Amino acid sequence: MKHHRTSRTSALLAALLLPLTLSAEPKKFVFDSEAWEEGEPPAEVFVVEGKFSIAAKDGNKGIQIGVGELVEANALLGDSARGSASIEAKVFATKQGRSFPRFAIGVHGQSGYRLTVFPAKKELQLIKQEEVVKSIPYTWTSDAWLKMKLEAKKVAEGKWTVTGKVWPATEAEPAEAQFTVEDTTLKGQGKCSIWGTPFSNTPILFDDVKVEVE
Protein backbone atom coordinates (compact mmCIF):
# COMPACT_ATOMS: atom_id res chain seq x y z
CA MET A 1 0.00 0.00 0.00
CA LYS A 2 2.84 2.36 0.85
CA HIS A 3 4.42 1.60 -2.51
CA HIS A 4 1.24 2.57 -4.40
CA ARG A 5 0.92 5.81 -2.40
CA THR A 6 4.55 6.70 -3.21
CA SER A 7 3.97 5.99 -6.91
CA ARG A 8 0.85 8.16 -6.99
CA THR A 9 2.74 10.99 -5.23
CA SER A 10 5.60 10.78 -7.74
CA ALA A 11 3.18 10.82 -10.65
CA LEU A 12 1.40 13.86 -9.22
CA LEU A 13 4.68 15.73 -8.76
CA ALA A 14 5.73 14.89 -12.32
CA ALA A 15 2.42 16.19 -13.66
CA LEU A 16 2.80 19.43 -11.72
CA LEU A 17 6.38 19.96 -12.86
CA LEU A 18 5.65 19.28 -16.53
CA PRO A 19 4.13 22.70 -17.27
CA LEU A 20 7.09 24.38 -15.56
CA THR A 21 9.48 22.41 -17.73
CA LEU A 22 7.59 23.30 -20.89
CA SER A 23 7.38 26.99 -19.95
CA ALA A 24 11.18 27.09 -19.61
CA GLU A 25 11.61 26.37 -23.33
CA PRO A 26 13.09 29.43 -25.09
CA LYS A 27 10.82 31.52 -27.29
CA LYS A 28 12.11 32.44 -30.73
CA PHE A 29 11.07 35.50 -32.76
CA VAL A 30 12.05 36.28 -36.34
CA PHE A 31 11.13 39.78 -37.49
CA ASP A 32 10.54 39.52 -41.23
CA SER A 33 10.21 43.10 -42.40
CA GLU A 34 9.22 41.93 -45.88
CA ALA A 35 5.77 41.09 -44.53
CA TRP A 36 5.24 44.64 -43.23
CA GLU A 37 3.98 47.68 -45.08
CA GLU A 38 6.38 50.58 -45.53
CA GLY A 39 5.76 53.46 -43.16
CA GLU A 40 4.87 53.31 -39.47
CA PRO A 41 6.33 50.26 -37.68
CA PRO A 42 3.89 47.54 -36.54
CA ALA A 43 3.04 46.75 -32.92
CA GLU A 44 5.83 44.15 -32.83
CA VAL A 45 8.30 47.03 -32.79
CA PHE A 46 7.75 48.89 -29.52
CA VAL A 47 9.37 52.28 -29.99
CA VAL A 48 10.79 53.77 -26.77
CA GLU A 49 12.41 56.82 -28.33
CA GLY A 50 13.34 58.07 -31.78
CA LYS A 51 11.96 58.06 -35.30
CA PHE A 52 11.35 54.50 -36.53
CA SER A 53 9.75 53.29 -39.75
CA ILE A 54 9.67 50.33 -42.12
CA ALA A 55 11.70 51.24 -45.20
CA ALA A 56 13.36 49.55 -48.17
CA LYS A 57 17.08 49.31 -48.95
CA ASP A 58 18.48 47.44 -51.95
CA GLY A 59 15.07 45.90 -52.51
CA ASN A 60 14.78 44.61 -48.93
CA LYS A 61 12.64 46.09 -46.18
CA GLY A 62 14.00 46.73 -42.72
CA ILE A 63 13.41 48.60 -39.47
CA GLN A 64 14.81 52.06 -40.06
CA ILE A 65 15.95 54.72 -37.61
CA GLY A 66 15.38 57.98 -39.43
CA VAL A 67 17.24 61.26 -39.25
CA GLY A 68 15.99 64.15 -37.16
CA GLU A 69 16.65 64.84 -33.51
CA LEU A 70 19.97 63.47 -32.31
CA VAL A 71 18.52 61.17 -29.67
CA GLU A 72 19.59 57.64 -28.86
CA ALA A 73 16.71 55.97 -30.66
CA ASN A 74 15.71 52.55 -29.36
CA ALA A 75 12.94 50.00 -29.73
CA LEU A 76 12.05 46.75 -27.95
CA LEU A 77 11.34 43.45 -29.71
CA GLY A 78 9.90 40.09 -28.66
CA ASP A 79 8.77 38.91 -25.24
CA SER A 80 10.45 39.87 -21.99
CA ALA A 81 13.11 37.42 -20.85
CA ARG A 82 13.23 35.84 -17.43
CA GLY A 83 16.53 34.14 -18.04
CA SER A 84 18.90 33.74 -20.96
CA ALA A 85 18.43 36.01 -23.99
CA SER A 86 20.02 36.59 -27.39
CA ILE A 87 19.56 38.91 -30.35
CA GLU A 88 21.07 38.84 -33.83
CA ALA A 89 20.60 41.48 -36.53
CA LYS A 90 21.94 42.74 -39.82
CA VAL A 91 22.70 46.49 -39.83
CA PHE A 92 23.36 49.02 -42.59
CA ALA A 93 24.61 52.55 -41.92
CA THR A 94 26.46 55.32 -43.73
CA LYS A 95 28.98 57.98 -42.76
CA GLN A 96 28.79 61.51 -44.12
CA GLY A 97 32.00 63.50 -44.31
CA ARG A 98 33.62 63.17 -40.91
CA SER A 99 30.35 62.28 -39.16
CA PHE A 100 29.59 58.69 -38.21
CA PRO A 101 26.50 56.88 -36.92
CA ARG A 102 26.43 54.78 -33.75
CA PHE A 103 24.29 51.68 -33.34
CA ALA A 104 23.76 48.71 -31.04
CA ILE A 105 21.73 45.65 -30.12
CA GLY A 106 20.75 44.83 -26.53
CA VAL A 107 19.35 42.22 -24.17
CA HIS A 108 17.41 42.48 -20.91
CA GLY A 109 15.76 45.85 -21.40
CA GLN A 110 16.99 49.41 -21.09
CA SER A 111 19.54 48.69 -18.37
CA GLY A 112 20.84 45.37 -19.70
CA TYR A 113 23.85 44.67 -21.91
CA ARG A 114 24.39 46.39 -25.26
CA LEU A 115 26.83 45.53 -28.04
CA THR A 116 27.69 48.87 -29.65
CA VAL A 117 29.50 49.79 -32.85
CA PHE A 118 31.05 53.23 -32.27
CA PRO A 119 32.81 54.19 -35.54
CA ALA A 120 33.84 57.69 -34.41
CA LYS A 121 35.96 56.09 -31.69
CA LYS A 122 36.91 53.11 -33.88
CA GLU A 123 35.65 50.81 -31.14
CA LEU A 124 33.33 47.96 -30.36
CA GLN A 125 31.87 48.45 -26.90
CA LEU A 126 30.08 46.19 -24.47
CA ILE A 127 27.88 48.42 -22.31
CA LYS A 128 25.82 47.72 -19.20
CA GLN A 129 23.63 50.35 -17.54
CA GLU A 130 25.24 53.09 -19.66
CA GLU A 131 28.73 52.11 -18.49
CA VAL A 132 31.36 50.68 -20.86
CA VAL A 133 32.28 47.26 -19.47
CA LYS A 134 34.79 46.45 -22.19
CA SER A 135 35.96 47.93 -25.49
CA ILE A 136 38.23 46.78 -28.32
CA PRO A 137 39.58 48.51 -31.44
CA TYR A 138 37.35 48.10 -34.48
CA THR A 139 37.31 49.71 -37.92
CA TRP A 140 33.80 49.95 -39.31
CA THR A 141 33.03 49.95 -43.05
CA SER A 142 30.44 52.45 -44.26
CA ASP A 143 27.71 51.44 -46.74
CA ALA A 144 28.09 47.72 -46.04
CA TRP A 145 25.79 45.29 -44.24
CA LEU A 146 27.17 44.15 -40.88
CA LYS A 147 25.93 41.31 -38.67
CA MET A 148 25.80 41.61 -34.90
CA LYS A 149 25.05 39.01 -32.21
CA LEU A 150 24.72 39.39 -28.43
CA GLU A 151 23.98 36.58 -25.97
CA ALA A 152 23.53 36.50 -22.20
CA LYS A 153 23.41 32.92 -20.94
CA LYS A 154 22.61 31.81 -17.40
CA VAL A 155 25.15 29.09 -16.73
CA ALA A 156 24.30 28.56 -13.05
CA GLU A 157 22.33 30.25 -10.30
CA GLY A 158 23.68 33.78 -10.08
CA LYS A 159 26.24 33.20 -12.85
CA TRP A 160 26.01 34.52 -16.41
CA THR A 161 28.22 34.51 -19.49
CA VAL A 162 27.77 37.39 -21.93
CA THR A 163 29.23 37.16 -25.45
CA GLY A 164 29.19 39.54 -28.38
CA LYS A 165 30.46 39.46 -31.94
CA VAL A 166 30.20 41.39 -35.22
CA TRP A 167 31.20 40.33 -38.73
CA PRO A 168 30.61 41.32 -42.38
CA ALA A 169 27.23 40.07 -43.60
CA THR A 170 28.90 38.55 -46.67
CA GLU A 171 30.98 36.22 -44.48
CA ALA A 172 30.20 33.25 -42.24
CA GLU A 173 29.66 33.82 -38.53
CA PRO A 174 33.00 33.56 -36.68
CA ALA A 175 33.34 30.79 -34.15
CA GLU A 176 34.94 33.02 -31.52
CA ALA A 177 33.25 36.01 -29.89
CA GLN A 178 35.05 39.35 -29.68
CA PHE A 179 33.66 39.87 -26.18
CA THR A 180 33.22 37.36 -23.37
CA VAL A 181 32.49 38.53 -19.83
CA GLU A 182 31.23 36.85 -16.68
CA ASP A 183 28.52 38.49 -14.58
CA THR A 184 27.15 37.61 -11.13
CA THR A 185 24.80 40.59 -10.75
CA LEU A 186 22.62 40.30 -13.85
CA LYS A 187 18.87 40.12 -13.14
CA GLY A 188 18.13 38.56 -16.52
CA GLN A 189 14.81 40.29 -17.16
CA GLY A 190 13.55 42.47 -19.99
CA LYS A 191 13.15 42.58 -23.76
CA CYS A 192 15.78 42.60 -26.49
CA SER A 193 16.39 45.91 -28.24
CA ILE A 194 17.87 47.78 -31.19
CA TRP A 195 19.56 51.18 -30.84
CA GLY A 196 20.95 53.90 -33.06
CA THR A 197 22.01 57.53 -33.15
CA PRO A 198 22.23 59.05 -36.67
CA PHE A 199 25.06 61.50 -35.99
CA SER A 200 25.89 61.38 -39.72
CA ASN A 201 22.36 62.53 -40.61
CA THR A 202 21.79 59.31 -42.54
CA PRO A 203 19.32 56.50 -41.72
CA ILE A 204 20.29 53.30 -39.87
CA LEU A 205 18.60 50.10 -41.05
CA PHE A 206 18.10 46.84 -39.12
CA ASP A 207 17.09 43.65 -40.96
CA ASP A 208 16.78 39.91 -40.29
CA VAL A 209 16.37 40.48 -36.55
CA LYS A 210 16.25 37.24 -34.56
CA VAL A 211 15.43 37.14 -30.86
CA GLU A 212 15.47 34.20 -28.44
CA VAL A 213 14.44 34.49 -24.77
CA GLU A 214 13.77 32.19 -21.84
Side-chain angles (χ1 to χ4, degrees):
M1 190 68 179
K2 184 177 180 181
H3 172 74
H4 293 304
R5 186 180 298 115
T6 302
S7 298
R8 286 197 298 271
T9 302
S10 299
L12 179 60
L13 285 172
L16 290 171
L17 288 172
L18 181 59
L20 295 176
T21 302
L22 292 175
S23 67
E25 289 296 318
K27 290 185 177 181
K28 298 181 180 181
F29 302 87
V30 178
F31 295 93
D32 182 9
S33 304
E34 296 304 317
W36 297 336
E37 296 290 334
E38 291 188 41
E40 290 296 317
E44 291 94 327
V45 182
F46 183 81
V47 177
V48 179
E49 188 170 12
K51 184 180 179 182
F52 282 83
S53 64
I54 304 304
K57 175 68 180 175
D58 300 330
N60 296 317
K61 293 179 187 175
I63 305 168
Q64 179 175 276
I65 297 175
V67 299
E69 295 181 18
L70 285 180
V71 299
E72 193 166 32
N74 65 98
L76 303 174
L77 302 164
D79 285 357
S80 183
R82 294 182 181 176
S84 298
S86 70
I87 179 171
E88 179 180 335
K90 194 166 68 170
V91 189
F92 185 95
T94 305
K95 72 174 184 177
Q96 185 166 263
R98 295 183 179 181
S99 298
F100 297 85
R102 182 178 64 196
F103 49 90
I105 55 175
V107 295
H108 295 144
Q110 302 292 100
S111 60
Y113 275 94
R114 264 183 270 164
L115 176 62
T116 301
V117 178
F118 203 153
K121 288 191 173 183
K122 294 186 178 181
E123 287 183 350
L124 285 181
Q125 297 178 343
L126 191 63
I127 295 172
K128 182 186 178 186
Q129 295 179 342
E130 307 302 331
E131 297 292 331
V132 177
V133 176
K134 195 173 183 180
S135 65
I136 61 172
Y138 180 77
T139 301
W140 168 75
T141 301
S142 177
D143 295 294
W145 285 100
L146 180 72
K147 281 196 171 182
M148 307 178 68
K149 189 174 185 178
L150 177 64
E151 297 181 281
K153 291 185 178 180
K154 188 175 183 179
V155 294
E157 193 60 39
K159 293 183 179 180
W160 299 77
T161 299
V162 181
T163 58
K165 62 177 77 170
V166 302
W167 68 97
T170 54
E171 299 179 7
E173 178 181 343
E176 298 296 323
Q178 282 122 319
F179 290 110
T180 301
V181 299
E182 306 299 324
D183 194 314
T184 58
T185 63
L186 194 61
K187 292 181 179 179
Q189 297 179 354
K191 294 186 176 185
C192 290
S193 55
I194 54 177
W195 301 71
T197 309
F199 289 120
S200 57
N201 204 36
T202 55
I204 302 167
L205 200 71
F206 291 81
D207 196 12
D208 297 336
V209 183
K210 299 174 183 177
V211 167
E212 186 171 320
V213 295
E214 287 185 344

